Amino acid sequence: MAEGRRGRWPWVVLAAVVIAGGLAVERGGGGGADASSSASASAKASASASASAKASASAPGSAAPSASDGSDPYAPENFVAQTVKYGHQAGVDPQLVLAILFNESYKPHDPAFQRAWQRMKPDAAFGVANMHRATFDGVAAGHHQLAGRSWEELPDDPSLAIQAEAWYLHDLAAALPSAHDRSYTKDELLALGYNAGEGNMLAFARGVSPGAQSQTYLATFRQNWPKAGALLKH
């Protein structure tokens, strides 16, 4: 959620290294998501989706998607139904939920990669929505829909990750004042909050200028907003 941005190519290389040998390095993060963008689809499929999607699909109780054509089974466009379901459940615009999934899709999300990465960096984010443990625990404690669920389940259960994302956005929306800096829409402020945390979101709402990382996250979100809207119309 709030981890530093890189292009997708370094993540593809790291994914191959982590899955093959278990070595990687991750930058620290905060409120809820990591962020970066752009890469080779074929390299991503071989380094990320194909090897570990098979492993996670066979795991007991796994809710992982499958993609027989070799594409990334964790790509945001595979989760339109979940963004609608859980967005409506939490009273959040599904387009917001899906656009944030696109923002968070820069990093490989197969379970094998995520768990190897987390062994190297215990505070790493988990799941297709890149949520940190403290954020998940806080959201789960406030919503019975997540009762009995665990942060450790997120890599194997994209639906749970999206449900937790939607409820976190619900909580951010509840904290956001109706009167805010009109340089941003409500959804843009919620996206900034998802990336940088509630405190920073409220500062941005008062007119404090976002830092470079938040500005990049917002620019990416604005690009992904119409993409998410188009998918939801199908």
Side-chain angles (χ1 to χ4, degrees), residues 194-209:
Y194 191 85
N195 175 246
E198 180 182 319
N200 283 315
M201 177 190 73
L202 295 176
F204 302 150
R206 293 193 302 269
V208 175
S209 296

Side-chain angles (χ1 to χ4, degrees), residues 14 22 33 55 65 72 79 85 91 120 122 132 135 138 143 166 192 208 218:
L14 285 171
D72 182 4
F79 302 114
K85 176 181 178 179
M120 298 299 297
H132 292 279
T135 303
H143 300 286
L192 285 168
V208 175
L218 177 60

Side-chain angles (χ1 to χ4, degrees), residues 99-175:
I100 286 176
L101 283 186
F102 274 107
N103 264 48
E104 302 302 332
S105 67
Y106 69 95
K107 186 174 81 172
H109 284 131
D110 61 84
F113 173 82
Q114 291 189 67
R115 290 201 164 88
W117 190 276
Q118 196 263 346
R119 285 193 291 273
M120 298 299 297
K121 184 176 175 61
D123 64 345
F126 264 0
V128 293
N130 286 335
M131 185 167 283
H132 292 279
R133 184 190 296 270
T135 303
F136 179 88
D137 289 347
V139 173
H143 300 286
H144 68 85
Q145 293 86 352
L146 299 171
R149 304 307 301 270
S150 164
W151 175 79
E152 286 84 357
E153 298 176 67
L154 294 180
D156 298 304
D157 194 340
S159 291
L160 174 62
I162 295 166
Q163 185 179 26
E165 175 202 350
W167 281 111
Y168 183 44
L169 290 168
H170 167 276
D171 293 347
L172 290 171

Side-chain angles (χ1 to χ4, degrees), residues 7-141:
R8 187 180 295 272
W9 177 246
W11 283 107
V12 172
V13 174
L14 285 171
V17 172
V18 168
I19 291 172
L23 296 176
V25 182
E26 180 179 27
R27 294 206 289 270
D34 316 83
S36 243
S37 58
S38 161
S40 151
S42 61
K44 179 182 176 186
S46 59
S48 165
S50 89
S52 355
K54 293 178 183 176
S56 62
S58 62
S62 171
S66 61
S68 58
D69 62 357
S71 62
D72 182 4
Y74 298 93
E77 52 265 32
N78 293 327
F79 302 114
V80 172
Q82 290 92 328
T83 60
V84 172
K85 176 181 178 179
Y86 294 118
H88 288 160
Q89 182 189 88
V92 175
D93 187 349
Q95 188 171 354
L96 171 63
V97 179
L98 185 55
I100 286 176
L101 283 186
F102 274 107
N103 264 48
E104 302 302 332
S105 67
Y106 69 95
K107 186 174 81 172
H109 284 131
D110 61 84
F113 173 82
Q114 291 189 67
R115 290 201 164 88
W117 190 276
Q118 196 263 346
R119 285 193 291 273
M120 298 299 297
K121 184 176 175 61
D123 64 345
F126 264 0
V128 293
N130 286 335
M131 185 167 283
H132 292 279
R133 184 190 296 270
T135 303
F136 179 88
D137 289 347
V139 173

